[in-house]
Amino acid sequence: MINYSEVVWRTQEDKQRKFGSIKAMAIAFVIDQEVVFTDVVDASFGDILCSADSFTEDSVDELNNVYSVNIIKDETVIDTIICDEMIYSLLLSDAKPYDIDDGHEHAKLVVEGWKFLDGTFKLPGV
């Protein structure tokens, strides 16, 4: 079981606490060829996310804002993510995570609203 809050690097404090031998990965969540969310996570977790075929609901505890999602690969649950409602909703909305840095031109500029077409990130309207 993976706790999303322990593998994400959202704040400067996260970066300082997790800096060292741990590698980071910038990921983009794409729905209908559009980047809807970006995040920076531990690279080994990012690899798991990006290799997933799909995600399914595991459990919900709305009172404590704790949600869990199964990671599916080859029709098998390979792990479970404990996360907040936002990540839970994102993953169950058929968002596909992609490694932003995986040879993409202008990778450091990718933000919400960009398109993911023909296997590459593109500015909207270009």
Side-chain angles (χ1 to χ4, degrees):
M1 194 167 285
I2 301 166
N3 187 330
Y4 194 86
S5 66
E6 293 177 1
V7 295
V8 68
W9 298 28
R10 287 197 181 134
T11 66
Q12 188 61 34
E13 182 180 295
D14 285 341
K15 293 173 187 172
Q16 290 172 348
R17 180 170 42 96
K18 297 173 184 174
F19 187 74
S21 61
I22 300 173
K23 291 184 70 177
M25 175 188 288
I27 55 173
F29 293 90
V30 176
I31 298 175
D32 295 331
Q33 299 179 325
E34 183 174 334
V35 175
V36 295
F37 185 69
T38 60
D39 226 341
V40 178
V41 298
D42 177 278
S44 59
F45 173 67
D47 288 337
I48 293 169
L49 268 185
C50 293
S51 70
D53 295 329
S54 63
F55 304 92
T56 62
E57 179 180 6
D58 182 57
S59 66
V60 174
D61 178 356
E62 290 180 9
L63 183 63
N64 294 306
N65 192 33
V66 177
Y67 300 80
S68 60
V69 176
N70 294 316
I71 304 170
I72 310 296
K73 183 171 182 166
D74 299 326
E75 299 179 14
T76 302
V77 174
I78 60 170
D79 216 328
T80 301
I81 305 168
I82 297 171
C83 56
D84 62 18
E85 185 177 12
M86 184 189 72
I87 298 299
Y88 169 85
S89 299
L90 186 66
L91 293 175
L92 295 182
S93 297
D94 291 329
K96 173 66 179 149
Y98 290 96
D99 179 356
I100 293 175
D101 297 323
D102 191 20
H104 297 288
E105 187 177 7
H106 310 299
K108 297 199 182 326
L109 303 175
V110 174
V111 294
E112 291 85 0
W114 278 47
K115 297 294 183 186
F116 187 75
L117 304 168
D118 302 320
T120 190
F121 294 99
K122 302 191 185 283
L123 279 167
V126 176

